[in-house]
């Protein structure tokens, strides 16, 4: 994976974390329908888990070697 691809993946992961935070807030404090609460929470946690694995991959894959 190139450095540019890693940069975009990290941006997507950070964006998914922010979206997940918003969805959890909405599901806990703003919704009263139990089904919608459950769906929002499932989507939020799925995004959070994807972000976690993306960041683990990015951290442990190391640098790409620089420009040539």
């Amino acid at each position: 994976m190139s450095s540019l691809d890693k940069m975009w993946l990290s941006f997507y992961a950070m964006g998914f974390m922010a979206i997940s935070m918003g969805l959890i807030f909405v599901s806990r404090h703003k919704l009263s329908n139990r089904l919608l609460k459950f769906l929002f929470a499932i989507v939020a946690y799925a995004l959070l888990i994807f972000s976690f694995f993306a960041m683990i991959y990015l951290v442990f894959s190391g640098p790409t070697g620089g420009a040539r």
Side-chain angles (χ1 to χ4, degrees), residues 6-64:
K6 286 184 178 183
M7 178 196 72
W8 283 113
L9 181 60
S10 70
F11 286 162
Y12 289 140
M14 288 186 288
F16 286 162
M17 286 184 218
I19 292 169
S20 176
M21 183 178 58
L23 288 175
I24 288 295
F25 175 78
V26 168
S27 74
R28 289 187 179 178
H29 299 290
K30 301 295 181 186
L31 293 176
S32 58
N33 186 346
R34 290 182 63 122
L35 179 62
L36 282 178
K37 277 186 170 189
F38 179 74
L39 290 176
F40 272 54
I42 288 294
V43 170
Y45 285 120
L47 289 175
L48 195 62
I49 290 168
F50 173 78
S51 298
F52 170 75
F53 285 122
M55 286 298 178
I56 291 295
Y57 168 73
L58 290 168
V59 167
F60 288 114
S61 65
T64 56

